[in-house]
Amino acid sequence: MSSTLAIIGSPFIPGWDQLGAFLPELVLVAAIVGVLITPFFTERRNFACAVVALVGLVGAFVSVFAVAGEDGAYFRGLLVSDSLAVLWKGLLLLFTAGIVLMWIGTMAEAMREGDGPEFFTLLLGATLGMSLMASTTNLLMIFLVVELASLPSYVLAGFRKTHRLGAEASLKYVLFGAATSSIMVYGLSLAYGLYGTLDLAKIAEQMAVPGAQHVLLAVVLIGLIAGIGFKISAVPFHFWCPDVFEGAHVDVAAFLSVASKGAALVLLLRMVMLIGSAAGFEASAVTVSLAWTLGILGAVTATWGNLAAFAQTNIKRLLAYSSIAHAGYMVCALSLLVARRNEAPAADAAQAVILYLAVYLFMNLGAFTIAALVWRQTGSEQIADFSGLGRRAPIAAAVMTACLFSLVGLPPLAGFAAKLVLMKVLFDNGGWWTVLVFVIGINTVLSLYYYLRIVKVMYLQDRGEDVLGGPILPRVIGVACAAMLVIMLIGFGSLDRLTRDAGRIHDTNSSVAAVK
Amino acid sequence: MIVGLHHYLVLAAILLVCGIVTMLIKRNAIGILMGVELILNAANVNLVAFNHYLPADSGIRLDGQIFALFVIVLAAAEAAIALAIILSFYNNFASIDVEKASNLKG
């Protein structure tokens, strides 16, 4: 194995030669240590920690390219590395670097001097968990990484310590999270008992044997859907999402909106894909019920998120419901991963989800950055206070408009192509998946109303307030995001070729690559 | 009476139901946390019992026990974080009644 760490030599640590495939995570761990020791050397602790975290994230992002192609199972199958994992890690690290930049540009002054080290330790810790969520198929590791992603998120949600709403949001988040994850562990313990192994690939293989389905398998699947549905914020496990987004700072809300949901979606994608491929993508009791569950879950989540967004007056709460709706669209596509005759539609659906996540990342980062800028300058998160933004801050208003149009899925932006691909993949399969296409279509029309309402407030209402000043950095991030949305639409074809392998995940059973 | 796998599974199921009922009826945040701990322990009983009774394919079977150890460790970490957040909630609301957490809605 061409390990990146091989040049350093090999001390007597079991599995040392396999660590190379997880270089991005190692860089993240090093960055966490760096953030913790930085305060000893400088007076401007918050800013210094942000720079160290940013350097670590960029370093980890670069090292993702070094590990691309080292496909296979590592550490006796506890972790796997394949193109899906690599793609998600790249997206996640890029996004988190964007969050740190956004923090420097907008939120830095609001944070008490000395809180920075804790904040960035938690942020990087959550990122570490979310990046590992994409590369595991072992029940024990699934539990560990979900908790590794969740525990820092609970604290981040309550980081405004003296703020009533922050305290309430984090309390709801932690109690709800603890409840769903405990039910998930109970489900996992039953899965272990039913199949005698913790390896999901082996479990999926046994699950596919006709007549081997035990009634307790329903409890296992309910537990898994509760645990992962909570992270995705699928209805009915979505209650925490709007509250946490409103109670937490904008940067934390933006981080959770993409990173937490995306990681859970990728984990769910990998699990469903393993179950589907072990069953040979044939219709069996497990795959059909799983496909129906995911399809209904996705349709209900998308519709609920859009309907609830109508009445919102707080921009973060509106974006929270919007993120619930978008998660719903992606869950719809996951229902394709099981119960079809061959691998091709499943691989297409997986690719559509990854492309959607890539586009979703930029539109959400742009929208939240402008929300953070408005919050920094006016201290308000109300949509009404965006009035006259077209005159007060033309660049910011234009960026916000571009991101919102992309969230709707309107043509000159990448959100359009991503949604179109998602719907096309669903439509090509026919059957009851056509209904999902209609659900997504109707939801798009519904969402047009509340996204355009913000645009209307920005351009058609004006209360004659002063020009919105503020630093240049958030505007640069916003323009970069908006530019990416246009570039991604133009280059969607090459993006499509780049992610072609995303759907062909590493399977420890059928893969040519031997378990290392 | 010979204690078999079924006895452990029934015990775990009873613990699970107790935990879910506790989570649903308690209005005290620490009470809800206790319900969570009950469910985690139900999972632990399951894991250790399965580990003992399932046939080992090759060598010794240990994965269930290791899993249980990790669940215990993470339950402690989760409790530490939840208690810290409950304390922060208490500082703001002078109560740990979850009914008081009703400022955010809609």
Side-chain angles (χ1 to χ4, degrees):
Chain A
M1 194 187 80
S2 63
S3 168
T4 326
L5 280 181
I7 38 167
I8 312 173
S10 128
F12 185 71
I13 298 173
W16 171 263
D17 56 328
Q18 301 179 21
L19 277 173
F22 295 91
L23 195 59
E25 282 84 355
L26 292 178
V27 175
L28 273 181
V29 172
I32 292 176
V33 176
V35 164
L36 284 174
I37 58 172
T38 305
F40 296 113
F41 301 106
T42 171
E43 283 298 302
R44 295 186 63 199
R45 283 168 289 184
N46 287 2
F47 184 73
C49 287
V51 172
V52 172
L54 191 62
V55 170
L57 286 164
V58 172
F61 178 71
V62 173
S63 61
V64 166
F65 293 98
V67 300
E70 294 202 14
D71 292 9
Y74 295 87
F75 306 109
R76 294 168 182 260
L78 281 177
L79 293 173
V80 293
S81 180
D82 57 18
S83 49
L84 175 71
V86 166
L87 270 170
W88 166 248
K89 282 172 197 173
L91 287 176
L92 173 74
L93 294 166
L94 189 66
F95 175 74
T96 314
I99 293 287
V100 175
L101 275 177
M102 171 181 158
W103 181 89
I104 293 173
T106 55
M107 318 303 289
E109 285 149 39
M111 187 179 282
R112 204 165 57 87
E113 186 61 44
D115 278 354
E118 286 118 59
F119 182 80
F120 288 105
T121 307
L122 292 167
L123 189 72
L124 292 177
T127 311
L128 178 66
M130 287 160 188
S131 105
L132 282 172
M133 268 168 95
S135 53
T136 177
T137 57
N138 186 285
L139 297 188
L140 173 58
M141 282 308 289
I142 288 173
F143 170 60
L144 285 180
V145 294
V146 167
E147 292 292 298
L148 179 55
S150 292
L151 294 183
S153 308
Y154 301 148
V155 185
L156 283 175
F159 211 79
R160 295 202 264 188
K161 272 171 281 198
T162 53
H163 198 280
R164 279 175 74 90
L165 296 185
E168 180 182 333
S170 61
L171 182 76
K172 284 179 176 170
Y173 197 15
V174 72
L175 289 182
F176 209 58
T180 49
S181 77
S182 65
I183 289 174
M184 181 173 85
V185 179
Y186 189 81
L188 295 182
S189 75
L190 285 182
Y192 171 64
L194 285 174
Y195 300 107
T197 172
L198 291 176
D199 189 351
L200 195 66
K202 293 200 183 80
I203 290 179
E205 208 171 49
Q206 293 186 44
M207 229 185 244
V209 177
Q213 283 96 28
H214 197 274
V215 63
L216 281 177
L217 193 56
V219 182
V220 175
L221 292 179
I222 289 172
L224 277 174
I225 287 176
I228 298 176
F230 163 77
K231 299 291 294 171
I232 301 179
S233 71
V235 175
F237 310 105
H238 68 287
F239 297 106
W240 62 274
C241 184
D243 291 354
V244 166
F245 278 32
E246 190 178 343
H249 265 311
V250 188
D251 45 358
V252 176
F255 177 68
L256 292 178
S257 78
V258 176
S260 161
K261 287 177 195 212
L265 275 164
V266 173
L267 173 61
L268 188 61
L269 193 158
R270 186 184 291 281
M271 292 167 67
V272 175
M273 191 82 171
L274 275 178
I275 294 173
S277 80
F281 297 96
E282 294 283 343
S284 74
V286 176
T287 55
V288 169
S289 54
L290 198 58
W292 273 94
T293 311
L294 289 174
I296 293 171
L297 200 70
V300 171
T301 304
T303 314
W304 188 288
N306 277 321
L307 290 180
F310 272 70
Q312 303 310 322
T313 53
N314 180 302
I315 182 77
K316 284 194 298 185
R317 222 178 160 80
L318 184 135
L319 287 173
Y321 279 114
S322 137
S323 79
I324 293 176
H326 283 273
Y329 301 149
M330 286 184 263
V331 174
C332 280
L334 290 187
S335 70
L336 267 181
L337 296 184
V338 278
R340 287 312 281 183
R341 291 262 171 281
N342 59 59
E343 198 184 331
D348 288 347
Q351 190 193 3
V353 170
I354 274 288
L355 281 176
Y356 201 97
L357 270 175
V359 175
Y360 178 65
L361 181 167
F362 287 105
M363 34 198 203
N364 250 22
L365 184 60
F368 272 105
T369 305
I370 302 307
L373 177 70
V374 173
W375 180 82
R376 182 188 188 277
Q377 294 307 111
T378 65
S380 164
E381 290 159 355
Q382 297 302 310
I383 294 170
D385 289 314
F386 280 65
S387 71
L389 212 64
R391 172 186 56 79
R392 293 158 63 201
I395 300 174
V399 167
M400 190 73 172
T401 309
C403 291
L404 292 176
F405 279 173
S406 183
L407 281 166
V408 182
L410 289 180
L413 298 152
F416 167 71
K419 203 175 246 180
L420 193 70
V421 168
L422 199 74
M423 287 167 85
K424 182 177 171 298
V425 171
L426 284 167
F427 189 77
D428 283 349
N429 275 276
W432 56 267
W433 282 281
T434 327
V435 179
L436 290 181
V437 178
F438 283 116
V439 170
I440 295 179
I442 291 168
N443 270 300
T444 305
V445 179
L446 286 177
S447 68
L448 196 63
Y449 169 76
Y450 63 84
Y451 288 127
L452 280 187
R453 206 180 67 203
I454 305 176
V455 178
K456 192 190 107 194
V457 170
M458 286 194 300
Y459 283 100
L460 298 181
Q461 289 177 7
D462 203 338
R463 298 188 303 210
E465 281 158 304
D466 286 343
V467 170
L468 193 84
I472 191 82
L473 185 60
R475 289 180 169 85
V476 173
I477 302 171
V479 170
C481 287
M484 274 307 289
L485 290 178
V486 179
I487 295 169
M488 282 171 108
L489 181 70
I490 298 167
F492 210 80
S494 36
L495 217 58
D496 190 59
R497 278 190 296 280
L498 199 70
T499 54
R500 185 55 39 95
D501 291 336
R504 285 170 189 77
I505 64 162
H506 179 81
D507 188 337
T508 37
N509 288 327
S510 64
S511 168
V512 198
V515 177
K516 287 170 186 135
Chain B
M1 188 185 73
I2 300 158
V3 177
L5 177 59
H6 285 92
H7 298 90
Y8 290 103
L9 296 189
V10 169
L11 170 68
I14 293 172
L15 277 174
L16 171 79
V17 174
C18 290
I20 290 178
V21 170
T22 310
M23 286 195 310
L24 291 180
I25 64 171
K26 283 285 175 189
R27 290 285 149 257
N28 182 307
I30 293 179
I32 296 177
L33 210 59
M34 288 175 178
V36 171
E37 299 291 323
L38 279 178
I39 300 181
L40 288 174
N41 283 321
N44 276 345
V45 170
N46 263 352
L47 286 168
V48 175
F50 280 134
N51 188 80
H52 182 75
Y53 284 99
L54 285 175
D57 303 330
S58 57
I60 331 159
R61 177 183 285 280
L62 271 179
D63 38 6
Q65 297 202 16
I66 301 288
F67 200 142
L69 278 177
F70 274 105
V71 173
I72 293 169
V73 171
L74 268 166
E78 202 165 55
I81 282 180
L83 287 175
I85 288 174
I86 290 172
L87 193 65
S88 146
F89 184 80
Y90 180 79
N91 286 338
N92 282 291
F93 290 79
S95 161
I96 52 168
D97 187 345
V98 290
E99 299 273 295
K100 291 259 171 33
S102 56
N103 293 319
L104 294 164
K105 55 174 119 174

